[in-house]
Amino acid sequence: MTSSNLDVLIIGSGPAGIAVGATLQQAGFTVAIYDKGAMAEAVTQWPIYMEFFSTAHNVELPGMPLIITHEKPTREEYLNYMRRYVQEKNLHIITGHTVEKIEKVLSAAEPAFLVSGTDEWGTPFRRETRYVVVATGAYEIPKKLDVPGEQLHKVTHYYKEVHPYAGRDVIVVGGRNGAAEAALLLYRAGARVTIVYRGAAMQPLKWWLQPDLDNRIANGEIKAHFDSTIIEITPHAVEIESSNGHRQKIKNEFVIAMTGYRPETSLLSEAGVHIDPETNRPSIDSKTLETNVSGLFVAGVIAAGDISNEIFIENSRTHGLNILRGIDQKPAVANA
């Protein structure tokens, strides 16, 4: 549609969205990136003291090295890097704008989209674009425990900072790296930590976490209840049940449920994208990341739906090349 002044509108300014934006802009497309929060809002929600599992080289975005102090980048270093990347690449990011609808519109020339929503003040906005890329991540909706008391203020599904829990009784729910890292940091901040996990043992952890956590549990410094699930949360306790049916109440002041997340896919489904009901995975071309709606692409971890261990920064930072391939294959190329 020749009246449009925008080739590509990207929804989500995390690493995948920003990398796609830089790749497409370098290829000559006009690009705007929208985010309902701050730039890289998802990264700001990571634990403050988090250290990447990957080395800097593996999480660099296209065309700019990540220079850090030690072998692996921290959350703070990565946020600094992303700010510099956006400035260096001169990317146009519109923050505080929530996209609520993607509509396909047709003209005699070529298909296009009308993207609409509201800004942080409730003011509506509308933007026309030739192509849309949804890169909203897979951490939008926590996987609930679905037990009585989960709505209490003491329960959170997002862990960022240890200080509020110092000297308190804290249960960490989960068996993956996030739960292990949270438990260790909380313990060292002076919290009395108990892990509750439905599995027989923690999942394979980062190599430096595994022996540390094993030793803390063996020494009784961190308590652990495996093969156990929470069945009720009350203001001052948590009741758990083991796989053999034994129940017990544990004194508790806070519950940090590191039970995983799933992507918000309603924006895609309402735009006509087929979503697998079992996995939440959108229907896409694996080579181009184009959905079943022509001109509508996905990038980043949302491409895998609920399969959170399939796509990471390392293997999604090149998604812009996939999308560029998909656009270039179309009969009417936007930057021709």
Side-chain angles (χ1 to χ4, degrees):
M1 183 173 289
T2 56
S3 61
S4 173
N5 64 349
L6 185 64
D7 292 324
V8 185
L9 188 149
I10 300 170
I11 305 167
S13 67
I18 286 175
V20 170
T23 300
L24 296 182
Q25 185 168 283
Q26 185 177 11
F29 293 88
T30 55
V31 177
I33 304 173
Y34 281 71
D35 200 298
K36 66 180 182 180
M39 188 270 288
E41 176 72 17
V43 180
T44 69
Q45 300 305 310
W46 295 352
I48 291 173
Y49 312 108
M50 195 201 82
E51 181 179 82
F52 279 72
F53 178 71
S54 300
T55 59
H57 175 73
N58 289 325
V59 294
E60 288 175 349
L61 302 184
M64 184 172 165
L66 170 55
I67 309 300
I68 58 174
T69 305
H70 301 290
E71 181 185 7
K72 294 180 173 63
T74 64
R75 167 189 177 275
E76 181 180 7
E77 287 175 322
Y78 203 69
L79 283 171
N80 289 337
Y81 170 71
M82 292 187 70
R83 290 195 297 270
R84 289 188 292 107
Y85 189 88
V86 167
Q87 293 172 354
E88 181 73 21
K89 301 297 181 181
N90 195 29
L91 296 177
H92 182 41
I93 299 183
I94 299 121
T95 57
H97 282 61
T98 301
V99 172
E100 298 167 348
K101 194 170 187 180
I102 304 169
E103 299 175 86
K104 188 78 176 283
V105 295
L106 299 176
S107 72
E110 61 178 291
F113 295 89
L114 184 63
V115 176
S116 59
T118 54
D119 68 13
E120 55 196 332
W121 307 109
T123 304
F125 69 87
R126 290 156 62 91
R127 192 78 187 267
E128 190 179 278
T129 179
R130 289 184 174 93
Y131 303 104
V132 174
V133 179
V134 175
T136 49
Y139 306 107
E140 190 75 13
I141 304 173
K143 293 179 181 178
K144 298 289 189 177
L145 299 170
D146 289 327
V147 298
E150 188 171 9
Q151 79 286 354
L152 292 173
H153 181 70
K154 64 185 272 186
V155 181
T156 181
H157 292 267
Y158 295 93
Y159 156 76
K160 286 185 67 175
E161 166 67 274
V162 298
H163 183 76
Y165 305 103
R168 312 297 289 271
D169 295 300
V170 183
I171 283 179
V172 176
V173 185
R176 297 182 180 273
N177 285 307
E181 197 160 22
L184 288 166
L185 289 170
L186 288 162
Y187 156 72
R188 292 196 165 92
R192 295 179 290 275
V193 182
T194 300
I195 294 173
V196 176
Y197 181 48
R198 63 185 179 182
M202 301 292 281
Q203 296 290 312
L205 303 175
K206 298 173 183 177
W207 65 265
W208 64 89
L209 292 178
Q210 190 78 61
D212 192 1
L213 184 64
D214 289 345
N215 288 334
R216 301 292 75 73
I217 293 173
N219 293 340
E221 295 161 320
I222 293 177
K223 297 178 181 178
H225 296 273
F226 296 116
D227 284 323
S228 299
T229 55
I230 291 178
I231 59 173
E232 185 177 9
I233 302 169
T234 63
H236 304 292
V238 166
E239 187 172 4
I240 66 171
E241 182 177 43
S242 65
S243 57
N244 63 11
H246 175 69
R247 293 188 178 189
Q248 62 177 304
K249 286 189 176 182
I250 302 172
K251 181 184 175 185
N252 173 258
E253 296 171 279
F254 293 101
V255 175
I256 301 176
M258 309 292 287
T259 48
Y261 308 90
R262 62 183 181 86
E264 172 54 79
T265 55
S266 61
L267 187 66
L268 287 168
S269 62
E270 289 168 7
V273 176
H274 300 150
I275 305 294
D276 186 296
E278 297 296 323
T279 65
N280 242 354
R281 188 190 295 265
S283 175
I284 59 173
D285 183 308
S286 61
K287 294 182 179 178
T288 66
L289 302 179
E290 186 173 23
T291 68
N292 60 280
V293 177
S294 178
L296 176 54
F297 299 80
V298 298
V301 293
I302 195 172
D306 291 344
I307 317 299
S308 59
N309 62 347
E310 182 176 301
I311 296 179
F312 308 93
I313 296 175
E314 294 94 318
N315 58 6
S316 66
R317 55 188 175 152
T318 58
H319 279 181
L321 295 175
N322 298 79
I323 294 169
L324 181 60
R325 183 185 305 121
I327 292 175
D328 283 344
Q329 288 175 357
K330 293 186 175 300
V333 179
N335 64 340

